[in-house]
Amino acid sequence: MKTANRLAEEAGRADRAVFQRADAMQLPFEDASFDAVMALESIIHMPDRETVLTEVARVLRPGGRLVLTDVFERAPRKVPRHPSIDKFCRNFMVTLADVDGYVAMLHRSGLRLRGLLDITEHTQQRTFQELSRPVEGTDRPEALGQTNLPDLLQPSDMLGVDEFGCLLVAAVRP
């Protein structure tokens, strides 16, 4: 957070952008205090999506917008499901959304759906393809050298696992 706030200050945007850490299930903000909320690759780690969405609805002003990404099990669902999905979920503390109940969950949370789009081919599969490429030396991003990703999951294990998907969700507080 310190770096993000310092960079905002250096860019002359400290009056418009403040970065802080918070519990998404108990947001420390006043009711109706935001015009927009983004939750990219974060709600997947929450133990209760509906609680998070209810908090988001609380802090959004009427007409405020939410954009998020979420992971889900795409149809046709296989039984048993691909073991790499379970390994991914277990090792990265991820839960899969119930896409069939997403609209109802948004409504119960006080939000209204504006769009729900399966973006799997542009996100999940592309990410796993890139992470599976052998990269050595100076071409290897520094961040990859600092991760224990191979111990948690071989990205190639997720290639072609079509039932593991990613959603782009847009909603509004009425």
Side-chain angles (χ1 to χ4, degrees):
M1 299 298 119
K2 289 178 186 177
T3 301
N5 284 312
R6 179 180 53 79
L7 291 171
E9 177 73 33
E10 290 172 6
R13 300 288 186 202
D15 61 325
R16 299 185 71 200
V18 175
F19 298 88
Q20 69 184 76
R21 188 182 327 238
D23 180 350
M25 295 184 57
Q26 293 180 334
L27 293 171
F29 307 113
E30 297 291 323
D31 293 357
S33 56
F34 290 93
D35 294 319
V37 172
M38 291 188 323
L40 305 178
E41 298 185 12
S42 58
I43 199 167
I44 64 176
H45 303 291
M46 302 297 153
D48 185 345
R49 282 174 176 80
E50 193 165 331
T51 297
V52 173
L53 294 171
T54 300
E55 277 294 283
V56 166
R58 180 184 67 76
V59 301
L60 279 173
R61 291 182 180 105
R65 298 167 310 279
L66 165 67
V67 174
L68 65 83
T69 55
D70 207 341
V71 292
F72 73 109
E73 196 168 8
R74 296 168 82 199
R77 294 179 180 145
K78 297 177 182 170
V79 178
R81 73 176 165 203
H82 196 285
S84 293
I85 294 174
D86 291 329
K87 185 175 183 180
F88 181 89
C89 291
R90 181 180 59 253
N91 289 345
F92 294 103
M93 296 181 287
V94 169
T95 59
L96 299 177
D98 173 13
V99 71
D100 297 331
Y102 223 99
V103 175
M105 179 175 59
L106 287 167
H107 278 251
R108 286 190 305 272
S109 300
L111 299 165
R112 298 300 171 258
L113 180 70
R114 287 295 175 252
L116 184 70
L117 183 63
D118 182 342
I119 59 170
T120 304
E121 281 75 22
H122 303 289
T123 56
Q124 258 40 12
Q125 287 302 305
R126 177 72 189 267
T127 298
F128 294 130
Q129 287 170 357
E130 291 299 318
L131 289 174
S132 296
R133 281 188 320 124
V135 180
E136 305 222 2
T138 58
D139 290 339
R140 183 176 180 80
E142 184 179 335
L144 288 180
Q146 300 170 352
T147 182
N148 59 350
L149 184 62
D151 297 333
L152 298 173
L153 178 81
Q154 291 294 329
S156 59
D157 292 345
M158 294 296 284
L159 291 175
V161 181
D162 292 331
E163 62 267 32
F164 184 75
C166 185
L167 294 173
L168 177 64
V169 180
V172 65
R173 178 180 171 205

